[in-house]
Every structure is written in C-alpha cells, then in structure tokens.
Amino acid sequence: MDTPAQPPQHLSKPTAPSISMPRFAPLDIRLDPSSTVPVFSQICAAVSADIDAGILPAGTRLPPTRALATDLNIAVNTAAKAYRALEIQGYIEGRGRRGTFVRDQSGAASEREVQRFVTTMHALGVSVDDTLDMVRRAWP
C-alpha cells in the first residue's frame, strides 16, 4: 500500500501571517431622521453623552470615520464633521494613522471649554495677545 506523496516543502502553499486589526469600540448611536437636529449634532450628542457617562472611557479607540459612516448609513463627511466637532469640544483626539481616541475627561469642564475656546481662536487666526485683550474686554 503506497502512501500519498507529500509535495516538496518549497512547493507547499505558504500560510498567510496572522494580522490582528486594531479594535475599536462599537458606538451605539441612534439617529432620528425626522429630527430637525443635524445628523452630525446627533452623533456628537450621543458620543459625548457616552463619554460623560463613562461608557466610553479615556483611551477608547473610536471607529474610523468610514466605518462609522457605513454603520450609520451616512456620508463620510458627516461622520468627519462630527469627529471634528467632538475634537474641538475636547472629547476626542485624533492620533493620525493610529486612530481617534477618547480624551481624558478627568479635568474640570472649564478646562474643556478653555481648550475649545483656544482651538477656535487659533483656527480663526487670532493671536494670543488679541485673544487675551478680547477676554479682558468681555470679562464682567
């Protein structure tokens, strides 16, 4: 009785290396299509509420905008706009190719508001000195 011949080692099929994809937290977002609130604002409200409630703790990796858009059946630009708004509000931070993560929320709400204000003023091109002058004039 002959045993089946084994193919030479160099002709056997190579096995693909196991590559584990970075995991991210699934988001439980329910959009209301009949609402007058824009979709990106609904996303911001849902994500910020989950962060404030501790459901999404600091360091949690969020889905990429394309994955979020696919899951919610929305445009990628809408998901990106929501992430930008959440970043300005201090809830999340983009880390380039590594992804988008929940920021540490242990600081006071005032710290988050200061960061949002500074980010906005910087984006508007207002200098530090001009910003401080505006704050002084506005302070009661």
Side-chain angles (χ1 to χ4, degrees):
M1 195 173 347
D2 291 338
T3 59
Q6 293 292 327
Q9 191 66 19
H10 68 281
L11 294 179
S12 63
K13 288 185 178 181
T15 58
S18 165
I19 300 174
S20 63
M21 294 300 290
R23 303 298 299 162
F24 49 84
L27 299 179
D28 185 26
I29 299 174
R30 317 250 173 178
L31 298 177
D32 181 1
S34 64
S35 175
T36 58
V37 176
V39 171
F40 87 93
S41 293
Q42 292 181 51
I43 295 168
C44 289
V47 173
S48 63
D50 283 353
I51 291 170
D52 289 339
I55 296 168
L56 295 172
T60 302
R61 184 172 186 261
L62 300 179
T65 53
R66 288 183 193 279
L68 181 62
T70 299
D71 288 347
L72 298 177
N73 197 26
I74 60 172
V76 174
N77 286 343
T78 303
K81 185 175 183 178
Y83 275 14
R84 278 192 303 275
L86 287 164
E87 192 164 13
I88 288 170
Q89 294 168 15
Y91 282 101
I92 64 174
E93 63 183 345
R95 298 181 188 165
R97 303 187 107 206
R98 290 185 299 167
T100 302
F101 295 82
V102 174
R103 288 185 62 179
D104 182 7
Q105 301 299 308
S106 63
S110 60
E111 288 294 324
R112 184 169 48 246
E113 287 303 311
V114 166
Q115 184 61 44
R116 184 178 66 78
F117 175 73
V118 168
T119 302
T120 301
M121 296 308 281
H122 182 71
L124 292 171
V126 181
S127 72
V128 172
D129 290 336
D130 289 345
T131 300
L132 291 173
D133 288 342
M134 284 187 253
V135 169
R136 286 186 184 102
R137 284 194 305 270
W139 200 265

